[in-house]
């Protein structure tokens, strides 16, 4: 009998997706909240690099396949309900966000209840993706 | 004219919810992935403690209202797409998870592809909530 695969224990939503938090393995900075399906998780584990289901392209894409900014998997955790995953990664090229920012969470709530951008982007997404609204590949 | 409220800029899902990552403000450990609606976010900001929509109880509950393990809000961030929130908190009582663990992400994927519990719980949830499957209030 084959060993039970932990991917069968996870709870995917009605679209077959599960929320995945990407965290910098060195600094513990939270970089991105993204979604994977089972196949994306399988490829992520098989290749040691993160893969996501891209709704806009309707296919699996390896993060960084366009930009070279791949994410190297260091550790994977699952939460108590098994409906969320946390992956600690090493971000090649420094920036995880398709906007060029290191983290996607670059809007900080100020004391006067408005959002301010906390840091400058590390690269110009227009130069990498051809538009500022790329998928972050 | 009233100033624009950043809560109007956020993208809630079809159930009016938005994903919220809770992170320890001191250690940067990721504690929980949870969901808030707009009212929960408003109360969280007004009180400086986290509130969540509890599906099982169909009402807003302050985290810790039952256990005393409240979460004190330190900083709030929004991601590039404005469909996810990151809140840095100080966890009173040490454990954010209803299981008694410090973090909800206590299952670690081992080299042989199975999930192992990484640490012992800090308290017995049966003593706090009356059952091991409480809502973590």
């Amino acid at each position: 009998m084959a060993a039970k695969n932990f991917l069968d224990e996870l709870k995917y939503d009605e679209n077959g997706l599960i929320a995945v938090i990407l965290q910098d393995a060195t600094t513990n900075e939270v970089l991105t909240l993204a979604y994977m399906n089972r196949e994306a998780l399988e490829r992520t584990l098989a290749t040691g690099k993160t893969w996501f289901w891209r709704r806009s392209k309707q296919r699996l894409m390896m993060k960084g396949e366009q930009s070279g900014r791949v994410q190297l998997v260091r550790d994977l955790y699952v939460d108590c309900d098994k409906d969320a995953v946390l992956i600690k990664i090493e971000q090649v090229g420094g920036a995880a966000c398709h906007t060029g920012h290191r983290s996607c969470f670059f809007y900080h709530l100020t004391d006067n209840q408005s959002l301010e951008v906390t840091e400058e982007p590390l690269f110009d997404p227009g130069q990498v993706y051809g538009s500022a609204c790329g998928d972050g590949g």
Side-chain angles (χ1 to χ4, degrees), chain A:
Chain A
M1 199 174 91
K4 191 175 172 186
N5 189 323
F6 88 96
L7 294 172
D8 295 326
E9 299 175 46
L10 301 184
K11 293 176 195 153
Y12 306 90
D13 71 11
E14 63 276 17
N15 298 311
L17 299 174
I18 190 165
V20 180
I21 300 168
L22 284 308
Q23 184 179 27
D24 187 293
T26 305
T27 66
N28 274 344
E29 183 177 24
V30 172
L31 301 175
T32 303
L33 178 65
Y35 296 85
M36 292 186 183
N37 59 16
R38 192 194 150 114
E39 193 181 349
L41 272 166
E42 281 178 328
R43 286 206 205 179
T44 295
L45 294 170
T47 63
K49 297 171 184 166
T50 56
W51 289 73
F52 301 96
W53 175 253
R54 298 289 184 197
R55 280 175 295 187
S56 64
K57 298 187 190 285
Q58 289 288 305
R59 71 173 177 93
L60 289 180
M61 287 182 72
M62 186 180 73
K63 166 75 178 173
E65 76 176 47
Q66 194 177 350
S67 66
R69 292 183 169 80
V70 299
Q71 296 178 327
L72 307 177
V73 174
R74 291 295 173 244
D75 277 293
L76 188 147
Y77 299 84
V78 174
D79 79 341
C80 52
D81 297 330
K82 298 187 178 172
D83 63 359
V85 174
L86 170 68
I87 303 182
K88 295 201 178 195
I89 56 120
E90 182 185 331
Q91 178 63 61
V92 173
C97 187
H98 72 282
T99 60
H101 289 88
R102 200 173 65 237
S103 163
C104 291
F105 292 91
F106 58 77
Y107 290 114
H108 181 236
L109 187 66
T110 65
D111 288 342
N112 64 10
Q113 304 292 298
S114 65
L115 298 178
E116 69 175 6
V117 175
T118 50
E119 58 178 25
E120 293 302 306
L122 300 179
F123 69 87
D124 173 4
Q127 300 251 326
V128 176
Y129 302 116
S131 101
C133 296
D135 259 310

